[in-house]
Amino acid sequence: MTQDREIAEEVVQDVFVKLWNGTTAYQVDKGSFSSWLLTVTRNKAIDEIRRLKRHDHEPMIEKDSLIEQPGSVESTVEWGEQQNAIRSAVLELKQDQQQIIELFYFKGLSQQKIADQCELPLGTVKGRIRLALKHLKGLITQEGGYSIE
């Protein structure tokens, strides 16, 4: 979402600090922990993107940060397989669900903004996201044996 590794790392660190300090609390009755954690992280990333847009400045790039740190070959291959599985699964969704997933997860729009942009009721947007995620989970676990929590 951030399209910047350093910003993404900062977002994740901020989320974990909030968890550690107890300023963000998980409630069991609201859903699974992994879904809650993903939502908290996504919201923090959106906040950070918005904050950076307000401060329109050119980031300072360190010379050493331009060198890509290689991961293990196995993890790189596995990540590539997972990306392909996700892309394939998204393409198998209905067109309206693809559009909603693209706007929500890849463009970072809020559910309300998606509803406004697509001229749909908010409940319809929420329902399509929920249904699309259910379909994606089934498709991805079926196709590649990957589990999505």
Side-chain angles (χ1 to χ4, degrees), residues 18-141:
K18 282 183 179 182
L19 290 173
W20 183 261
N21 292 333
T23 57
T24 303
Y26 166 66
Q27 297 175 357
V28 177
D29 60 331
K30 299 282 182 170
S32 70
F33 177 77
S34 58
S35 297
W36 172 80
L37 184 60
L38 176 65
T39 302
V40 170
T41 306
R42 179 185 171 279
N43 291 341
K44 178 63 181 166
I46 290 170
D47 291 345
E48 190 65 18
I49 290 167
R50 289 178 181 156
R51 185 185 70 78
L52 291 172
K53 283 183 180 176
R54 281 195 306 261
H55 304 293
D56 195 9
H57 64 282
E58 201 58 38
M60 187 170 73
I61 300 174
E62 293 182 29
K63 178 179 73 168
D64 293 337
S65 70
L66 297 174
I67 300 171
E68 184 72 24
Q69 298 298 324
S72 72
V73 173
E74 294 85 13
S75 65
T76 303
V77 169
E78 184 178 338
W79 176 240
E81 290 173 355
Q82 289 174 348
Q83 286 178 319
N84 290 337
I86 292 169
R87 282 189 197 105
S88 297
V90 169
L91 291 175
E92 290 186 39
L93 293 174
K94 293 179 182 176
Q95 184 62 36
D96 58 343
Q97 291 176 352
Q98 284 182 27
Q99 179 186 23
I100 298 292
I101 292 296
E102 171 74 22
L103 294 172
F104 189 65
Y105 285 102
F106 301 117
K107 301 279 186 193
L109 295 181
S110 68
Q111 293 175 342
Q112 184 61 56
K113 286 192 178 185
I114 294 170
D116 295 342
Q117 182 175 329
C118 297
E119 297 178 355
L120 294 169
L122 181 59
T124 301
V125 170
K126 290 180 178 185
R128 285 185 185 169
I129 290 172
R130 201 171 24 254
L131 190 59
L133 291 177
K134 181 179 175 184
H135 284 85
L136 284 173
K137 182 177 181 178
L139 290 167
I140 291 171
T141 53

